């Protein structure tokens, strides 16, 4: 099976965003729009650094 990956894209309005894909190719997260490619790349780095440390806050109480 393939590895998960980030896909960095430029939208039709000239802004940048990224999607995180699971190993099966499905999108599992998408970013906000960024003004620059560098800012979007920094967003990817932030997710890579912080996601492993993030706690889960379950707000779906029945």
């Amino acid at each position: 099976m393939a590895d998960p990956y980030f896909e960095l894209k430029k939208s039709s309005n000239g802004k940048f965003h990224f999607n995180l894909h699971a190993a099966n190719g499905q999108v599992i997260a998408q970013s906000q729009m960024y003004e620059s490619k560098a800012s979007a790349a920094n967003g990817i780095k932030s997710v890579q650094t912080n996601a492993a440390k993030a706690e889960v806050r379950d707000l779906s109480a029945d």
Side-chain angles (χ1 to χ4, degrees):
M1 186 177 275
D3 290 331
Y5 60 95
F6 287 93
E7 190 171 74
L8 178 58
K9 296 181 175 185
K10 186 174 184 179
S11 65
S12 60
N13 67 1
K15 294 185 179 185
F16 297 86
H17 66 281
F18 62 86
N19 292 330
L20 172 57
H21 292 258
N24 66 3
Q26 290 188 322
V27 175
I28 57 174
Q30 59 188 84
S31 74
Q32 65 186 40
M33 291 295 207
Y34 293 89
E35 294 293 328
S36 71
K37 186 175 181 178
S39 294
N42 284 337
I44 291 172
K45 288 178 187 175
S46 178
V47 171
Q48 289 172 321
T49 300
N50 294 303
K53 302 178 230 174
E55 67 178 80
V56 176
R57 295 182 181 175
D58 186 355
L59 305 178
S60 64
D62 294 339

